[in-house]
Amino acid sequence: MFLMKDIVRDGDPVLRKEAEKVAFPLSDEDKQLAHDLMEYLEVSQDPELCEKYQLRAGVGLAAPQVGESKMMASVLVPAEDENSDPLFKDVIINPVIVSNSVQRGALTEGEGCLSVDEDIPGYVPRAARITLKYTDVDGEEHKLRLKNYPAIVCQHEIDHLHGTLFYDHIDKDNPFSKTEDEIFIY
């Protein structure tokens, strides 16, 4: 199981590299990586286990964040009602955003990252809706539309696979600027 000591921190060159595509069928090593990425999110979202293992809660974790330059990320966006199924849960491999809305969205509290220890304030404008194409751990291809929070989380994780960090999107001169057509989520 990954712990906070296993999370690569901002400044490590792996976070700024273009990740390598993952070959199918998955090797045993890649299957284990996929399992471990999702396990971190599941454990980190359980308050008791999160405290026990001293984790920072996360909704996404990309392979480069654990030092593996591979096009793979786990996403676990919980439902607002804890008794409901997650809004989105999967390990996305070789993901591509095939289309996105013109309308932009951002999280009202800004974004954070397990690899970035300091709080970097500002809005991170992203597409409010995306169409995502990816392959899962079983080799099945998926193409689905996501909106609002799940779309933002997937864009954040896909950025990791291309060497981009969330704060690269923040307007340096006016971090809380927004356009009239931007929607805010949460």
Side-chain angles (χ1 to χ4, degrees):
M1 183 175 89
F2 290 128
L3 299 173
M4 286 308 298
K5 69 177 179 54
D6 303 309
I7 306 292
V8 173
R9 297 309 202 279
D10 193 6
D12 189 302
V14 73
L15 293 174
R16 292 300 188 170
K17 284 176 58 177
E18 181 78 16
E20 300 291 324
K21 285 195 93 165
V22 177
F24 282 88
L26 292 183
S27 66
D28 289 343
E29 177 185 295
D30 286 341
K31 286 178 187 173
Q32 187 64 50
L33 176 60
H35 171 271
D36 293 347
L37 290 170
M38 184 58 75
E39 181 183 44
Y40 178 93
L41 299 181
E42 292 169 344
V43 171
S44 80
Q45 290 183 23
D46 179 309
E48 287 179 20
L49 292 175
C50 188
E51 186 175 334
K52 176 181 177 181
Y53 295 109
Q54 304 210 331
L55 304 178
R56 283 176 53 199
V59 291
L61 183 62
Q65 292 182 270
V66 294
E68 296 283 343
S69 187
K70 296 181 178 183
M71 288 259 181
M72 180 187 301
S74 59
V75 178
L76 176 51
V77 181
E80 287 184 38
D81 169 16
E82 63 185 49
N83 296 320
S84 297
D85 289 336
L87 296 176
F88 184 72
K89 178 182 181 179
D90 212 346
V91 176
I92 58 175
I93 302 171
N94 302 328
V96 176
I97 296 171
V98 293
S99 67
N100 57 267
S101 64
V102 174
Q103 186 176 40
R104 310 297 284 168
L107 300 179
T108 54
E109 74 277 4
E111 292 184 21
C113 180
L114 295 170
S115 292
V116 179
D117 291 327
E118 67 272 12
D119 182 31
I120 300 177
Y123 295 140
V124 181
R126 298 193 183 272
R129 293 178 307 284
I130 62 170
T131 300
L132 176 66
K133 184 176 162 188
Y134 69 95
T135 307
D136 67 20
V137 293
D138 297 320
E140 290 185 39
E141 291 195 9
H142 298 266
K143 186 176 178 183
L144 61 139
R145 296 180 70 171
L146 298 168
K147 64 181 184 175
N148 300 335
Y149 193 47
I152 286 174
V153 172
C154 286
Q155 289 171 83
H156 178 112
E157 296 313 316
I158 291 169
D159 272 357
H160 276 300
L161 306 179
H162 298 287
T164 302
L165 294 172
F166 75 94
Y167 60 75
D168 296 336
H169 297 288
I170 297 173
D171 181 330
K172 307 297 181 254
D173 297 325
N174 191 354
F176 292 99
S177 66
K178 75 179 215 84
T179 62
E180 284 184 20
D181 64 338
E182 282 182 321
I183 59 170
F184 284 81
I185 298 141
Y186 288 92

